[in-house]
Amino acid sequence: MSLTGPMVAAASGRAKQLVILCHGYGSDGNDLIALAPFWQPLLPYADFLSPNAPQPCDGNPMGYQWFPITRLDPAEIALGVSRAAPLLDSFIEGELARRGLDASQLALVGFSQGTMMALHVGLRMGVPPACIVGFSGALAMPERLPQEIRCRPPVLMVHGEVDDMLPVTRMYMAVQALGAAEVPVQWHVSPGLGHSIDQTGLELGGRFIADAFAGRLAGP
């Protein structure tokens, strides 16, 4: 199967960059594509794509899931991410090829379960993406990262201080594992915020992507 979802075309009329947004559990592409109008002034040459995850959601029949999840069990997450990754990888390759771009002109953005997918796929690409931005997320299989990592794009992790779906401790664990793998990582915790994206996170994410595309975020 192939992934599909909403798109917002580059404001400039011609895409020189691509931002792929991976939504969270039980949501759909329409959720994160709503970020595009906020970021377009900073990213006028970027197409925005937000694919629907491949499976109808077990917990919300109106939404989608990258993989089933009943609890924050590392084995369950590892199996789900590994099974969904080839579909996302194939989608990314196809959309870059369609525009005549390579991964250096790609930003991967995720929310919650979508952050797990963006980190897993993005850190294993042959050509590193420009950056990865993860909102309210976590890193799947941190113990396998040192053996499987293929590139080290700059990463920004943003999390709500009082997130009751994915505790902020999961972000700290991800940041620690990424740093240990020599991935250049920045992070921000939004005070009083739950499982969501606030205005500060939105602004930080947009500037981070713009800086990455402009070559202002030097990776190793």
Side-chain angles (χ1 to χ4, degrees):
M1 68 174 297
S2 58
L3 304 179
T4 61
M7 182 188 91
V8 172
S12 66
R14 178 173 177 269
K16 298 179 182 179
Q17 297 145 353
L18 180 61
V19 179
I20 291 182
L21 305 126
C22 301
H23 67 76
Y25 178 85
S27 188
D28 62 26
N30 291 312
D31 185 19
L32 284 195
I33 202 68
L35 300 183
F38 293 97
W39 287 347
Q40 273 191 316
L42 285 170
L43 306 167
Y45 296 100
D47 275 355
F48 294 83
L49 286 173
S50 188
N52 297 317
Q55 303 172 1
C57 181
D58 293 340
N60 175 17
M62 300 299 290
Y64 297 89
Q65 63 189 25
W66 294 98
F67 52 90
I69 187 165
T70 55
R71 58 200 184 283
L72 294 180
D73 177 64
E76 187 179 42
I77 291 172
L79 180 62
V81 167
S82 297
R83 286 180 173 173
L87 283 171
L88 180 56
D89 203 39
S90 176
F91 176 80
I92 292 168
E93 287 183 10
E95 295 299 334
L96 286 171
R98 187 171 290 118
R99 291 163 176 80
L101 305 176
D102 67 27
S104 68
Q105 296 150 311
L106 166 72
L108 283 175
V109 180
F111 178 81
S112 192
Q113 195 180 67
T115 292
M116 299 181 196
M117 295 302 306
L119 287 171
H120 183 84
V121 169
L123 296 171
R124 290 163 175 81
M125 296 177 70
V127 175
C131 67
I132 302 171
V133 177
F135 293 103
S136 304
L139 177 67
M141 298 177 285
E143 72 284 352
R144 283 168 49 176
L145 186 61
Q147 290 75 42
E148 297 182 2
I149 190 168
R150 296 181 67 198
C151 63
R152 291 170 171 82
V155 172
L156 172 66
M157 300 289 287
V158 180
H159 216 102
E161 179 188 31
V162 293
D163 191 330
D164 60 355
M165 298 288 290
L166 272 172
V168 69
T169 52
R170 289 298 183 110
M171 187 210 72
Y172 291 129
M173 292 166 63
V175 168
Q176 184 177 24
L178 292 167
E182 299 183 350
V183 175
V185 57
Q186 300 179 31
W187 57 273
H188 170 80
V189 175
S190 292
L193 183 68
H195 196 62
S196 185
I197 303 172
D198 64 3
Q199 184 65 30
T200 299
L202 198 61
E203 292 172 0
L204 288 172
R207 287 202 301 268
F208 190 81
I209 297 169
D211 285 345
F213 282 149
R216 293 190 289 265
L217 300 176

